[in-house]
Amino acid sequence: MQQEIINWFESEGRDLPWRQPGFTPWGSLVSEFMLQQTPVARVIPKLEEFLNRWPTPAALAASPSGDAVRAWSNLGYPRRALWLHACAVTIVEKFNGEVPSNVEDLLSLPGVGPYTARAIAVFAYGGHEPVVDTNIRRVIARHNQGNADQGPPSTTRDLEAMTALLPSPEHSPAFNAGIMELGALVCTARNPRCEVCPIARTCAWKNAGYPEHVGPKKTVQKKYEGSDRQARGAVMKALRNERTTVTAAVLESVWADKAQLGRAISGLLKDGLIELVADDSYQLPA
């Protein structure tokens, strides 16, 4: 299984910026933050803009956090921009401006969880660690466990399952990337392309006749349209589009539901994504 996936990845893997020789660990960290819940196609142009402006952690740390939030633009979940800025500050203050290479140090950075820490250790530094995302979990669930769906995540269980599959240290980065790519392009959640899958012959789910999933299912995100998340996005867009403060009256013009708008503003203030400047004016963090 491991070598078949590595061979497939070498010939079929996408030509993505973070896979290019010489791509920096800082670039890998930025890309991982951006790729959380955002499609690759939307990330690539923003990643280039971001790294051109802030090519090092020190460059971003020297800028106001509000600039990072504004540059985040339409990537969604703008708290990631604040975490990334806090990461840059921590890297400068504690790691001499260099992205750390081991999982323990990476986990100490703001906003970095088990997946991101191991992804940086493996993809930026060639570490021998198990990387687990939803695509990898789906491939393992189907090929090794015969389940149609990967079910809710469990960090301990998922890391153990991936660790058991890791090949030798020199091949584990390619295997981690390859199995992730396989889940993204071939072993997809809907309409998996088993006819071109390099490990279809040994897939437990396929060989069992594609049984329906009977266990617990992963949580499905609530509809975005009309949600509080959309209201938050409307407020953030209004603030990103202005270099000065924005009054409450202006914000009322971008979202009609006053109760929902109030919740959005309160949440954004609590998260540190906006600041109250005067009694009725707001701005991005300074």
Side-chain angles (χ1 to χ4, degrees), residues 78-102:
R79 274 178 290 185
R80 292 179 294 169
L82 285 184
W83 292 333
L84 185 56
H85 184 273
C87 258
V89 172
T90 302
I91 289 168
V92 170
E93 292 178 348
K94 295 186 177 181
F95 298 102
N96 298 315
E98 299 293 333
V99 177
S101 60
N102 69 77

Side-chain angles (χ1 to χ4, degrees), residues 147-264:
N147 298 323
D149 183 85
Q150 62 269 43
S154 165
T155 298
T156 299
R157 184 177 64 246
D158 295 337
L159 286 175
E160 287 177 351
M162 185 58 176
T163 298
L165 296 176
L166 284 184
S168 58
E170 64 267 29
H171 297 302
S172 64
F175 176 67
N176 273 297
I179 192 172
M180 186 183 299
E181 189 82 333
L182 187 67
L185 300 183
V186 176
C187 192
T188 53
R190 298 180 180 179
N191 303 315
R193 301 163 57 216
C194 300
E195 70 279 4
V196 297
C197 179
I199 56 172
R201 179 179 57 83
T202 54
C203 177
W205 182 53
K206 176 179 179 292
N207 291 336
Y210 304 108
E212 294 288 333
H213 182 73
V214 294
K217 295 185 177 182
K218 59 184 178 181
T219 303
V220 177
Q221 193 173 57
K222 294 180 180 179
K223 184 179 178 182
Y224 178 74
E225 197 71 28
S227 67
D228 283 7
R229 285 196 301 124
Q230 189 181 21
R232 285 168 60 101
V235 173
M236 291 300 298
K237 182 178 179 180
L239 288 166
R240 284 198 308 269
N241 289 341
E242 297 291 338
R243 289 290 173 179
T244 57
T245 61
V246 175
T247 65
V250 170
L251 294 181
E252 287 177 3
S253 70
V254 303
W255 197 262
D257 187 324
K258 290 186 178 181
Q260 201 170 36
L261 177 63
R263 291 196 300 271

Side-chain angles (χ1 to χ4, degrees), residues 1-2 4-10 13-14 19 123 129-144 161-163 165-167 171-188 197-199:
M1 170 195 184
Q2 289 85 346
E4 289 171 325
I5 288 176
I6 292 171
N7 292 343
W8 173 86
F9 179 62
E10 289 176 350
R14 290 169 291 181
R19 293 175 180 165
F123 302 138
E129 298 284 347
V131 179
V132 179
D133 75 341
T134 188
N135 291 311
I136 290 175
R137 292 177 58 241
R138 184 167 54 253
V139 173
I140 293 174
R142 288 175 176 170
H143 180 272
N144 292 67
M162 185 58 176
T163 298
L165 296 176
L166 284 184
H171 297 302
S172 64
F175 176 67
N176 273 297
I179 192 172
M180 186 183 299
E181 189 82 333
L182 187 67
L185 300 183
V186 176
C187 192
T188 53
C197 179
I199 56 172

